[in-house]
């Protein structure tokens, strides 16, 4: 029995200022403002581990569009795409919370695609990662 061909739906591109805590599945076109390596893990507690065979690289990159900026956490091969001045498409990106602030990330279900240079100027004075959020539990009576 043949299954009908599934049609892919068009991605809905969002702007940086539309990102909210705890959301996922975002597709954005952003320009990399800066990239700063954070750490490389090669051993754990002085003992070689499985991670020693392939150290993990992490970089914090400030990315943005014409509406604002946010910190993007790049891991391993993603670091190679995140050079200052590059324009990339982030597919299936999610918002992680780190110390009360938003960070953008792409996990194994997402993808980073280099693209043509964007024709917008990044609005650097609206950094969403500088906004602190607090989790409040609401008790219903």
């Amino acid at each position: 029995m043949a299954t009908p061909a599934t049609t892919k739906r068009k991605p809905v591109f969002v702007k940086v200022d539309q990102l909210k805590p705890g959301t996922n599945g975002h597709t954005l076109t952003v320009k990399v403002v800066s990239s700063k390596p954070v750490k490389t893990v090669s051993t754990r507690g002085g003992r070689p581990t499985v991670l020693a065979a392939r150290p993990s690289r992490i970089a914090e990159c400030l990315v943005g569009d014409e509406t604002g900026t946010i910190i993007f956490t790049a891991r391993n091969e993603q670091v190679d795409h995140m050079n200052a001045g590059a324009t990339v498409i982030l597919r299936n990106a999610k918002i992680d919370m780190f110390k009360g602030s938003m960070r953008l990330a792409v996990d194994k279900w997402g993808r980073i695609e280099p693209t043509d240079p964007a024709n917008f100027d990044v609005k650097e004075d609206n950094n969403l990662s500088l906004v602190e959020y607090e989790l409040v539990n609401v008790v219903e009576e």
Side-chain angles (χ1 to χ4, degrees):
M1 196 183 246
T3 58
T6 58
T7 57
K8 293 183 180 178
R9 56 188 176 101
K10 289 264 190 205
V12 177
F13 284 82
V14 296
K15 298 293 182 186
V16 171
D17 68 345
Q18 296 173 318
L19 299 174
K20 302 288 180 221
T23 56
N24 59 15
H26 304 294
T27 302
L28 311 99
T29 301
V30 293
K31 194 181 287 187
V32 181
V33 177
S34 65
S35 179
K36 180 180 71 170
V38 176
K39 69 174 187 171
T40 301
V41 178
S42 59
T43 62
R44 190 173 275 173
R47 301 175 304 199
T49 62
V50 176
L51 291 175
R54 46 175 195 175
S56 73
R57 298 181 298 159
I58 298 176
E60 286 188 343
C61 310
L62 185 65
V63 300
D65 60 15
E66 66 270 15
T67 63
T69 58
I70 191 167
I71 293 178
F72 175 79
T73 306
R75 300 179 186 278
N76 300 325
E77 308 83 36
Q78 297 175 352
V79 176
D80 300 330
H81 295 293
M82 305 306 284
N83 301 318
T87 303
V88 294
I89 297 176
L90 305 175
R91 296 194 186 274
N92 203 18
K94 64 179 183 171
I95 298 293
D96 287 331
M97 298 303 289
F98 178 73
K99 294 184 180 176
S101 64
M102 293 194 302
R103 302 290 168 101
L104 193 61
V106 173
D107 59 10
K108 65 181 180 178
W109 305 110
R111 159 180 211 169
I112 298 177
E113 300 173 1
T115 187
D116 297 330
N119 57 0
F120 55 78
D121 292 325
V122 177
K123 183 177 181 183
E124 294 188 46
D125 60 348
N126 184 19
N127 189 340
L128 296 183
S129 294
L130 296 178
V131 178
E132 285 192 30
Y133 292 88
E134 184 177 341
L135 180 64
V136 178
N137 292 328
V138 178
V139 178
E140 295 183 22
E141 295 181 21

